[in-house]
C-alpha cells in the first residue's frame, strides 16, 4: 500500500475462483503451519474490495495507535534520561515511573490487544474499544481475548489508577517543603 494504492510486490494470498468478487484465502488462516499471509504490507487484492474502505481505515487506525503509543513511550524514556542527567530522584520517582506505569498499563494493554487480535485467530472477535471501556468502567468484558484477560485488565487498571495520584500529588508538596526550608535558611 503506497498512498492508498496497492502495489503488487508479491503474489496475492487470495483467489476468486468463480470471478464473482468473493475471494477466498489461499494461505493458512488458522496459523497451523501452512503457507502464511502476505509477506509484507497489505495484500494488493484488497484494492477494489467491497469492504476496502472499512478494512483499510481500521488497519491504518490501529497502526496509528501502535506508532503513537511507541512515540509516547519514547517521550517518557527521554523524560527518564532528563531525570538521570539532572540527578533528580524526585522527578524520577514522582513523574517518570508513574508515567511509564500509566502508559504501559493502559495504552500498552491496548497495543497488546491489537497485536493479539492480529496474530491469533479468535472465534468471537471482541471489540478493543468495548474492552477498554469495560476495563476503565470496571465492568465485565463479555467477549475476552483469552481466559484470564479480564482479570489481567482489571489488575492493569488498578495500577493505572494508582499511578495518577503518585504522578500528581507528591511532587508539588515536596517542592513546597523544599521552598519553605530554603526560605527559613535565608532568614
Amino acid at each position: 500500500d503506497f498512498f492508498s494504492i496497492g502495489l503488487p510486490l508479491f503474489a496475492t494470498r487470495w483467489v476468486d475462483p468463480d470471478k464473482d468478487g468473493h475471494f477466498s484465502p489461499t494461505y493458512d488462516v488458522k496459523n497451523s503451519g501452512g503457507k502464511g499471509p502476505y509477506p509484507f504490507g497489505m495484500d494488493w487484492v484488497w484494492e477494489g474490495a467491497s469492504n476496502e474502505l472499512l478494512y483499510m481505515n481500521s488497519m491504518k487506525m490501529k497502526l496509528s495507535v501502535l506508532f503513537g503509543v511507541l512515540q509516547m513511550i519514547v517521550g517518557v524514556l527521554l523524560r527518564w534520561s532528563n531525570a538521570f542527567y539532572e540527578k533528580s530522584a524526585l522527578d524520577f520517582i514522582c513523574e517518570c515511573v508513574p508515567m511509564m506505569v500509566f502508559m504501559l498499563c493502559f495504552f500498552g494493554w491496548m497495543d497488546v490487544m491489537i497485536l493479539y487480535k492480529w496474530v491469533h485467530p479468535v472465534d468471537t472477535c471482541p471489540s478493543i474499544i468495548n474492552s477498554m471501556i469495560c476495563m476503565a468502567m470496571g465492568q465485565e468484558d463479555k467477549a475476552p481475548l483469552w481466559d484470564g484477560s479480564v482479570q489481567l485488565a482489571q489488575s492493569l487498571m488498578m495500577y493505572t489508577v494508582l499511578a495518577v495520584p503518585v504522578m500528581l500529588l507528591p511532587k508539588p508538596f515536596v517542592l513546597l517543603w523544599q521552598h519553605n526550608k530554603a526560605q527559613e535558611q535565608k532568614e
Side-chain angles (χ1 to χ4, degrees), residues 111-123:
D111 285 359
V112 166
M113 289 192 297
I114 290 170
L115 294 171
Y116 186 87
K117 281 179 66 173
W118 279 352
V119 298
H120 289 85
V122 181
D123 294 329

Side-chain angles (χ1 to χ4, degrees), residues 160-172:
T160 301
V161 169
L162 291 175
V164 173
V166 174
M167 202 171 4
L168 298 177
L169 296 178
K171 186 175 178 182

Side-chain angles (χ1 to χ4, degrees), residues 33-50:
K35 183 178 173 184
Y38 200 68
F40 179 76
M42 291 296 301
D43 196 327
W44 52 271
V45 81
W46 277 100
E47 186 176 333
S50 61

